[in-house]
Amino acid sequence: MNPATGSVDFEVPVVFEEFQATDDPEEAYELVLSRLGGQAGELGADRRRALTDLYLAGSAALSELDAIWSGTCVGTVDGRLSTATLTVTELETAGDAPQEVVAAALTELLAPVPAPADGHGPQRLVCRFEAPAGPVVVSLEQTPGWQLTGEHNVPLLSAKAHLPLPPPLSGVLIAELTTPDVDHWADGYAPLLVAFLRSVRFRVPDPPAVEDLPALPGADPFGTALT
């Protein structure tokens, strides 16, 4: 899939299917079952309900965003069900500063949050990389996630990539990949986010020639050990 706006082109990994938002619990449940297919029968009622609640929460969040594209991925990793969402938005900015200037400001604004002494609460890492479209600032954060019932919640890992648009364009393209399956990040989802970031191309008048960068080393290019 190759969505586009007036200022950017990108390719969505084929494992993601475009998200159909809904505020109807029954419709959300049916959509979840449809995505799970034959795997639905392997899940207990609590797990199906949790996924439905997550689907409704995601729908509500999308209604507040002016998303360019959003989709979900459902599959298995090592025989275990695994899910993720990918959402692409564009943040407007006041000026058309050079990409390097915007990336430096983002790196400072998104400065890492030290891990709490008790091991609870948000943790965030921030790394800067070079993609074919320019500098990318990636923040990786693990949170308690969606609150379901009582004290039960689903932990979430969120990787948010910020790509400043090059002058004369202004703004920041933001791609966020979120998964409740934290253990599947390094080998399963980090490579998908990297592939997406490498596909981004901004539409600017007479752009300079840019060669694709070699593959980043390792299966986990964002340094994602959350400790």
Side-chain angles (χ1 to χ4, degrees), residues 32-107:
V32 167
L33 292 185
S34 174
R35 289 303 314 276
L36 292 175
Q39 301 172 84
E42 303 173 8
L43 302 178
D46 288 344
R47 178 64 168 166
R48 292 197 299 271
R49 177 183 176 185
L51 290 173
T52 301
D53 288 344
L54 287 173
Y55 199 101
L56 288 167
S59 295
L62 278 180
S63 68
E64 300 176 3
L65 295 173
D66 185 16
I68 297 173
W69 193 89
S70 182
T72 57
C73 170
V74 178
T76 57
V77 177
D78 296 328
R80 204 179 89 198
L81 182 68
S82 187
T83 63
T85 63
L86 176 66
T87 301
V88 184
T89 58
E90 189 172 328
L91 176 67
E92 295 184 2
T93 57
D96 58 352
Q99 289 177 292
E100 291 290 339
V101 173
V102 178
L106 285 169
T107 302

Side-chain angles (χ1 to χ4, degrees), residues 100-166:
E100 291 290 339
V101 173
V102 178
L106 285 169
T107 302
E108 184 175 351
L109 288 171
L110 299 171
V113 175
D118 61 5
H120 299 289
Q123 304 175 45
R124 184 165 71 241
L125 299 175
V126 175
C127 299
R128 183 187 181 284
F129 301 95
E130 294 296 329
V136 183
V137 179
V138 179
S139 64
L140 187 81
E141 186 168 13
Q142 185 172 333
T143 68
W146 301 117
Q147 190 73 31
L148 297 179
T149 58
E151 297 181 356
H152 181 61
N153 58 54
V154 177
L156 293 177
L157 184 69
S158 173
K160 188 177 291 187
H162 304 75
L163 293 82
L165 276 65

